[in-house]
Amino acid sequence: MSVIKSTSKVERLGQCQQNKTNIEMGENKASKVILVTGGTGLVGKGIEHIINTEEARPDERWVFISSKDADLTNADSTKALFDRVKPTHVIHLAAMVGGLFRNLKYNLDFWRKNVQINDNVLNTSFETGVEKVVSCLSTCIFPDKTTYPIDETMVHNGPPHNSNFGYSYAKRMIDVQNRAYHQQHGCQFTSVIPTNVFGPHDNFNIEDGHVLPGLIQKIYNAKRDNTPFVVWGTGSPRRQFIYSLDLARLFIWVLREYKEIDPIILSVNESDEVSIKEAAESVIEAMDFKGEVLYDKTKADGQFKKTASNDKLRKYLPDFKFTPFKQAIKESCDWFISNYDIARK
Ligand SMILES: NC(=O)c1ccc[n+]([C@@H]2O[C@H](COP(=O)([O-])OP(=O)(O)OC[C@H]3O[C@@H](n4cnc5c(N)ncnc54)[C@H](OP(=O)(O)O)[C@@H]3O)[C@@H](O)[C@H]2O)c1
């Protein structure tokens, strides 16, 4: 667990209790305690970085937790965590997450674990009087057969893509729960819908991870071993990628300012959608790879596209500037190279 106090200082594991004592003794004036579940993952680490470097506020104390602090599939562990941290606000990121190939294999696990985690976090938030919860959906949960661009009103309009139906239905139920908690109890529980996320602290595992970090590790290996770089699939599917640090800034805004229960898509503009081939070429450039590039067309492509509209976001934040894609790719590649020993891979 890491805790950020108003000074922006991150305290490592085990300091939570001490920090709580400080608050009880009046040494820390934070009136909001923000618990981030999944705080050690790609998105959580991005939020921690932005809180540390740009967004600290004296009345907020941020607590980032991992599965080692509490197994959120277990109701008792979840309750014990909330009793310990006493959050007033929750950013709920914890989930079983994976790329196309992991989803194809484990639809049942994706469904069960995510439903358990979400039910435990939302119900414990309700029972302990948490003021606001922001949970995380994903654009890959939208209906497979749809019109484009997809928007927030279309989440439940038809079955998701067959590759990840377990994950998708579990995520969709968060929106159902948010509406029900609001209708029955007036809870301020909402959700955001990011597109494909990438950045430092990603899961770079080629089999289990998402496409972009997988490409980064494959190029790293190809460079090291002097072998061809093999992209899985045709390279033609299209994706809107969002840099984890941009997503972090938007998440913090949603927590502080967004008042709706209905979800909001957090995405770059439609014109910033790129093909997997274009993404691979950006990684090649960032990693300065000069070897042979092959496309293994026997591998599945997944959903061809899932172009999302960010019109709702733009109505609220017309001037928000996303980090240019190539710059964000370069920073992610540099992070992977510098942190090779500790990176998930
Ligand atoms: N990555 C994307 O492209 C993407 C796109 C759209 C939406 N999202 C959503 O964004 C959220 C965060 O994703 P991410 O990419 O940051 O995931 P990630 O890097 O895989 O991190 C997952 C986090 O969840 C925690 N966790 C997993 N199982 C848990 C359990 N049983 N109990 C407690 N904590 C548990 C992990 O803790 P440990 O470190 O201890 O395992 C880790 O902190 C997820 O809800 C995901 O669905 C992600």
Side-chain angles (χ1 to χ4, degrees):
M1 181 182 320
S2 66
V3 179
I4 302 178
K5 290 193 284 185
S6 52
T7 53
S8 305
K9 188 164 155 264
V10 183
E11 296 184 8
R12 301 313 310 175
L13 216 89
Q15 289 297 302
C16 178
Q17 199 58 42
Q18 179 61 43
N19 199 41
K20 208 173 88 192
T21 310
N22 289 345
I23 288 175
E24 281 157 5
M25 291 167 66
E27 289 173 37
N28 186 323
K29 298 283 182 259
S31 56
K32 294 179 188 151
V33 178
I34 299 135
L35 171 67
V36 182
T37 72
T40 52
L42 164 65
V43 180
K45 282 287 181 189
I47 295 175
E48 186 178 63
H49 179 78
I50 296 298
I51 288 295
N52 264 331
T53 54
E54 300 174 12
E55 284 289 346
R57 285 187 179 176
D59 63 338
E60 292 179 353
R61 175 176 156 251
W62 289 73
V63 181
F64 295 83
I65 64 128
S66 78
S67 64
K68 291 180 194 70
D69 298 295
D71 176 3
L72 299 172
T73 60
N74 180 295
D76 291 339
S77 303
T78 309
K79 181 75 171 54
L81 172 77
F82 276 64
D83 286 347
R84 198 153 43 103
V85 175
K86 297 193 178 12
T88 57
H89 295 69
V90 174
I91 289 184
H92 172 38
L93 306 172
M96 180 176 174
V97 177
L100 170 65
F101 296 94
R102 191 171 183 215
N103 271 278
L104 279 167
K105 274 197 272 184
Y106 301 114
N107 267 298
L108 177 64
D109 292 355
F110 274 98
W111 160 258
R112 291 197 70 223
K113 279 191 201 287
N114 287 324
V115 163
Q116 285 166 344
I117 291 174
N118 299 336
D119 192 49
N120 287 334
V121 169
L122 292 179
N123 195 51
T124 311
S125 296
F126 161 61
E127 286 181 348
T128 59
V130 168
E131 289 169 33
K132 183 167 180 177
V133 180
V134 182
S135 299
C136 200
L137 314 185
S138 165
T139 45
C140 60
I141 71 165
F142 276 98
D144 182 29
K145 295 192 174 38
T146 185
T147 53
Y148 295 100
I150 43 186
D151 68 40
E152 293 83 352
T153 65
M154 297 154 78
V155 171
H156 304 282
N157 283 1
H161 192 262
N162 215 25
S163 56
N164 64 350
F165 65 92
Y167 175 84
S168 299
Y169 279 119
K171 284 282 182 191
R172 287 183 186 189
M173 289 309 111
I174 291 180
D175 177 54
V176 173
Q177 286 173 293
N178 284 348
R179 280 189 278 143
Y181 275 109
H182 183 69
Q183 186 197 65
Q184 217 171 311
H185 301 294
C187 296
Q188 195 68 30
F189 295 174
T190 189
S191 61
V192 301
I193 312 180
T195 48
N196 290 52
V197 190
F198 70 100
H201 301 276
D202 210 337
N203 178 3
F204 293 86
N205 187 289
I206 293 169
E207 294 283 338
D208 292 345
H210 289 108
V211 55
L212 212 41
L215 293 176
I216 293 174
Q217 162 144 232
K218 279 188 202 169
I219 294 192
Y220 182 95
N221 294 348
K223 240 182 125 168
R224 180 194 58 200
D225 304 337
N226 206 11
T227 51
F229 162 43
V230 184
V231 182
W232 288 355
T234 62
S236 54
R238 303 184 66 76
R239 297 288 180 265
Q240 282 156 300
F241 292 102
I242 182 166
Y243 189 32
S244 59
L245 301 187
D246 291 334
L247 179 59
R249 293 179 181 103
L250 293 172
F251 241 113
I252 294 163
W253 168 78
V254 169
L255 181 83
R256 290 172 178 166
E257 310 293 344
Y258 182 70
K259 304 278 186 263
E260 297 183 36
I261 301 302
D262 289 339
I264 180 164
I265 290 174
L266 303 181
S267 171
V268 298
N269 299 340
E270 286 163 55
S271 56
D272 293 323
E273 189 173 51
V274 295
S275 69
I276 300 301
K277 185 166 189 280
E278 286 164 327
E281 283 163 356
S282 299
V283 181
I284 289 170
E285 189 183 324
M287 302 279 278
D288 196 26
F289 176 70
K290 306 280 186 224
E292 189 182 5
V293 182
L294 302 172
Y295 285 82
D296 180 354
K297 294 179 183 167
T298 64
K299 296 272 196 222
D301 262 346
Q303 211 166 346
F304 175 65
K305 65 175 188 174
K306 37 192 180 178
T307 319
S309 161
N310 68 1
D311 283 0
K312 185 173 185 177
L313 175 67
R314 284 300 186 198
K315 278 197 192 109
Y316 281 105
L317 297 178
D319 299 324
F320 184 85
K321 297 239 175 333
F322 289 92
T323 308
F325 184 59
K326 286 196 174 186
Q327 180 189 329
I329 289 281
K330 178 84 176 97
E331 288 175 13
S332 305
C333 292
D334 290 349
W335 184 90
F336 180 65
I337 294 166
S338 312
N339 295 277
Y340 186 77
D341 290 341
I342 59 153
R344 282 182 287 168
K345 55 188 181 298

